[in-house]
Amino acid sequence: MNGPAPTRRQRLRSRITAVVGLVLVWNLLWGAFTWLNTISGALVAVALLVVFPLPAVTFGGRIRPLGAVRFFARFFADLVVASFQVAFLAFRPGEPKSAIVAVRLRVTTDLNMTLVAEAVSLVPGSLIAEADQQTGTLYIHMLGVRDAEHLEHLRAEVLRLEARLIRAVGSDAELRAVNAPREEPAT
């Protein structure tokens, strides 16, 4: 379901972006932005990318500022609420119930799966147990599951998160995919 192979220019831009990102992280790890840290970081970044080349990831969407604001506002609200929920579970007597839920995403590109998985994992109480790229399914360990109805609610929340993410950075085709009526797979 991935698009066409990236052009030479796209690959070069991707590598330059990776080097800049790695140099930024290198400087942050050393705690100071100096010429020595920047040059040594660039050398380390280039060596890493030669030894461990990154797979080609194409970005076919576009950034929509209003969608991005909505995504981050809801994401930060989810962080706060989930933090209190996990704290409540930690102090409540008894062992909290948890479950692994399978969520089949509507947009199965590598980039979308990665972004959704990262957003889900950053919220306290949820963690990606496995990602199946073939089927576009994320298996998520969720803490504090009450019953089957609550589990379905959590699954729907992940799909809403995916929709907000696509509305923030998705392509027109991806927007159509998340806005289309959901067909439940036969079991």
Side-chain angles (χ1 to χ4, degrees):
M1 182 128 191
N2 292 333
T7 64
R8 183 177 180 165
R9 182 178 178 166
Q10 289 171 325
R11 284 192 310 268
L12 181 62
R13 184 173 51 200
S14 176
R15 288 183 183 137
I16 289 171
T17 303
V19 167
V20 170
L22 289 169
V23 169
L24 177 66
V25 169
W26 182 262
N27 277 282
L28 290 172
L29 289 171
W30 281 103
F33 286 88
T34 65
W35 284 109
L36 182 60
N37 285 345
T38 302
I39 292 168
S40 64
L43 292 173
V44 169
V46 170
L48 280 172
L49 292 175
V50 167
V51 175
F52 304 107
L54 294 173
V57 176
T58 57
F59 176 66
R62 65 176 205 205
I63 297 175
R64 294 176 177 83
L66 185 58
V69 168
R70 287 179 180 151
F71 172 79
F72 282 112
R74 178 59 191 264
F75 178 73
F76 290 124
D78 288 346
L79 282 176
V80 171
V81 170
S83 296
F84 282 108
Q85 289 171 337
V86 169
F88 174 76
L89 289 172
F91 290 108
R92 193 178 77 181
E95 190 172 321
K97 293 180 182 174
S98 63
I100 293 183
V101 60
V103 181
R104 189 165 190 183
L105 300 178
R106 294 163 288 197
V107 178
T108 59
T109 62
D110 290 341
L111 182 60
N112 182 61
M113 286 188 68
T114 301
L115 292 175
V116 171
E118 288 298 326
V120 167
S121 289
L122 287 172
V123 174
S126 58
L127 182 68
I128 300 298
E130 185 177 344
D132 184 351
Q133 201 275 336
Q134 298 289 1
T135 63
T137 304
L138 295 177
Y139 295 90
I140 307 166
H141 179 268
M142 296 191 169
L143 189 61
V145 176
R146 294 185 294 270
D147 52 26
E149 185 178 314
H150 187 232
L151 198 60
E152 287 306 314
H153 171 75
L154 294 172
R155 180 180 286 122
E157 279 297 316
V158 173
L159 292 173
R160 283 192 284 276
L161 182 143
E162 176 195 28
R164 285 191 301 274
L165 186 63
I166 293 298
R167 287 184 188 109
V169 296
S171 68
D172 292 337
E174 291 169 341
L175 275 172
R176 285 190 296 276
V178 297
N179 291 330
R182 181 102 170 138
E183 294 178 19
E184 293 300 321
T187 54

